Amino acid sequence: MLEVTGIETFYGKARVLNGLGLTVGAGQVVALLGRNGAGKTTTMKSIMQLVPPRAGRVVFDGADITGWPPHRVAQAGLGYVPEERRIFTQLTVAENLEVGRQKARPGRVAWTEAQLFELFPNLAERRGNRGKALSGGEQQMLTIARTLMGNPALVLLDEPSEGIAPVIVEQMAQAILTLKAEGLTVLISEQNLHFARAVADSVVIIEHGEARFSGTLADLDARPDIRDAYLSV
Ligand code: ATP
């Protein structure tokens, strides 16, 4: 469903991705792992074309989207949830969701507010509260829910478990598994191997802007040398 090949991405003259490649199959949850600064966020921004790669290709659902403007990438069915929570603090939870609403692409069923509240029960209780009244974890959930209102086929989640309370992390993992059960494809970036283990079918480990390992968690468990070399444990 998503095929990234040999991408090179720069900030000014600094090359941050060095020929990175990865594949995400339809309906899979893949975790992008790596230390701080390894290039996980840049990989997501490159896929979205927010920071377009200068070399390599990004193919989504059979279309080469390399160089497309980001809004077209979103219309093609890619949803992006950045690490920093992006909600409207003065709008209520329900209004935030409304802002994210897009028509579903042909042949797909649109998410309803009720389904999203089922996915994130905390938000249901907060329906009429303003964004600024929510906890960090609830804001993270709202950011994801708002992205889902755009009815993406694949969601990119940048460090969804970062800086949120353990009980909410648990709910987040549950929600990701529900998305997978609904047929969505998910690419998450994580530093937390434990979280990746709870949700991912396979992992890609990146270091210095290159994919150094890809395989299932069982494959990774069989390679403690890889884990010790590229992940902070
Ligand atoms: P983190 O977990 O800290 O988000 P990451 O694996 O997502 O790490 P990136 O944010 O992709 O890593 O950063 C990769 C490299 O690119 C780092 O060396 C970082 O300093 C650099 N970098 C990131 N954003 C910019 C920018 N806007 N301008 C210049 N350099 C940047």
Side-chain angles (χ1 to χ4, degrees):
M1 172 147 225
L2 179 70
E3 186 109 33
V4 175
T5 329
I7 54 170
E8 295 181 13
T9 302
F10 293 71
Y11 293 112
K13 286 188 176 156
R15 185 166 67 180
V16 170
L17 298 186
N18 299 296
L20 182 134
L22 62 89
T23 302
V24 185
Q28 283 206 316
V29 178
V30 175
L32 205 51
L33 300 172
R35 293 201 181 95
N36 249 325
K40 302 180 297 296
T41 298
T42 306
T43 300
M44 296 205 158
K45 289 184 175 167
S46 299
I47 292 169
M48 285 310 285
Q49 307 300 316
L50 291 163
V51 185
R54 289 195 201 160
R57 297 199 313 157
V58 180
V59 175
F60 172 62
D61 220 0
D64 186 345
I65 61 171
T66 326
W68 284 21
H71 72 270
R72 262 190 81 203
V73 174
Q75 282 164 2
L78 273 167
Y80 174 51
V81 181
E83 196 173 355
E84 62 283 2
R85 289 138 202 159
R86 288 203 194 141
I87 57 157
F88 296 100
T89 52
Q90 296 300 330
L91 299 183
T92 65
V93 165
E95 287 164 347
N96 266 281
L97 292 179
E98 222 27 66
V99 170
R101 187 190 292 280
Q102 303 279 337
K103 265 199 298 208
R105 284 175 317 292
R108 296 197 137 255
V109 182
W111 284 90
T112 62
E113 192 193 88
Q115 286 170 324
L116 290 171
F117 285 156
E118 214 172 291
L119 188 64
F120 296 117
N122 292 37
L123 293 183
E125 293 161 25
R126 303 291 230 147
R127 190 179 183 282
N129 290 124
R130 288 196 193 188
K132 65 178 180 190
L134 305 184
S135 71
E138 288 167 343
Q139 292 188 356
Q140 179 74 293
M141 290 175 172
L142 181 55
T143 311
I144 297 174
R146 207 184 65 205
T147 301
L148 291 173
M149 285 298 270
N151 300 302
L154 187 154
V155 259
L156 306 170
L157 299 176
D158 199 355
E159 301 209 25
S161 75
E162 169 82 3
I164 60 178
V167 53
I168 306 273
V169 171
E170 197 64 39
Q171 293 172 19
M172 194 71 79
Q174 217 42 56
I176 291 170
L177 292 174
T178 304
L179 295 182
K180 178 183 148 104
E182 296 282 333
L184 255 86
T185 307
V186 183
L187 179 64
I188 62 170
S189 100
E190 265 303 325
Q191 294 199 37
N192 179 342
L193 184 58
H194 178 71
F195 187 82
R197 201 178 282 288
V199 298
D201 298 300
S202 62
V203 300
V204 176
I205 297 180
I206 65 176
E207 169 87 352
H208 293 311
E210 281 178 71
R212 297 291 170 89
F213 173 87
S214 93
T216 62
L217 281 146
D219 296 336
L220 180 60
D221 286 337
R223 294 292 306 271
D225 54 322
I226 298 265
R227 200 186 54 206
D228 295 346
Y230 302 126
L231 303 177
S232 358
V233 258

